[in-house]
Structure formats: structure tokens, C-alpha cells
Amino acid sequence: LRHDLDGRYSTELYSEYLQTLFQRLKTQENPFFVYMAFQNVHAPHMVPQHYIDRYALYISDPNQQIFAAMVSAMDEAIGNITKSLRENGLDDNTIIVFSSDNGGNVNCVRHV
């Protein structure tokens, strides 16, 4: 258990970990499998403030700002992961599957 990670957002941690992993795997000849299950956008609805700030001018409802920010954080992480695959020469022979669960509680956020 790493206590030095307290207060870090899991989406960013997972993305950073995979980027480091891909740097190590770039010279490996054997295939590998990565399963990344983001916790966004499930409760608790929490996200670093810098993601919420992006929506302050466009979305008035604070809950909707947080929801949109959580989606943005996940989108950014996926972009960083796929960029790392490309930069490490691992994207040419890679299959990426995006999937989601059955969806969130529709009563939590309206109009997103």
C-alpha cells in the first residue's frame, strides 16, 4: 500500500502508471494485455478542481460541472494512454476496446 499517493486522483494515477509501463514494454517481443477500468463517472462524484474550472463559464449547476469534469478527466487520460502507445511504438499491433457499464443514475445529472 502506497500512502504517498493519498490525495491523488485515481484517473491520473492509472494513466501515469500505464505510460510508464508502456515505456518498459516497448522493447518486449511478447504480447501483453492491459485492462483499464476507470472509476469515472461513478459516485462519489469527485474530480480535481482544475477540471471543474473548465466548465464554470458554461455550466451553472455545480453537480453538472463535476460530472462534465469527470468525463473530461477520463477523456484526457485515455488520450494520454493512446498517445503513449503511439510514442512507444506499441500502437501498430494493438487492439483497443472501449466499453461501459449499464450507465449511471439518471437522477444524478440532468442535461449532460
Side-chain angles (χ1 to χ4, degrees):
L1 186 61
R2 291 192 50 191
H3 296 285
D4 62 314
L5 300 177
D6 285 352
R8 294 285 315 275
Y9 194 54
S10 64
T11 302
E12 295 171 339
L13 287 172
Y14 297 152
S15 174
E16 291 168 11
Y17 175 80
L18 287 179
Q19 292 173 66
T20 301
L21 176 68
F22 295 153
Q23 289 174 347
R24 289 196 321 253
L25 292 175
K26 67 182 173 184
T27 58
Q28 179 177 301
E29 298 272 333
N30 298 322
F32 62 91
F33 177 81
V34 173
Y35 174 77
M36 177 62 251
F38 287 107
Q39 295 151 331
N40 310 51
V41 288
H42 292 281
H45 290 170
M46 297 167 38
V47 65
Q49 186 64 43
H50 64 95
Y51 292 105
I52 298 170
D53 292 343
R54 297 177 186 177
Y55 295 97
L57 296 175
Y58 309 105
I59 301 173
S60 60
D61 184 311
N63 291 323
Q64 291 179 14
Q65 289 176 4
I66 292 169
F67 186 87
M70 291 174 73
V71 172
S72 289
M74 184 173 58
D75 183 61
E76 181 178 286
I78 292 168
N80 291 338
I81 291 166
T82 55
K83 179 181 176 185
S84 180
L85 283 168
R86 186 173 48 257
E87 288 175 343
N88 288 290
L90 298 169
D91 62 323
D92 189 40
N93 196 18
T94 298
I95 298 171
I96 299 174
V97 177
F98 291 97
S99 180
S100 91
D101 62 10
N102 61 345
N105 182 345
V106 296
N107 295 318
C108 288
V109 179
R110 302 175 316 262
H111 314 296
V112 174

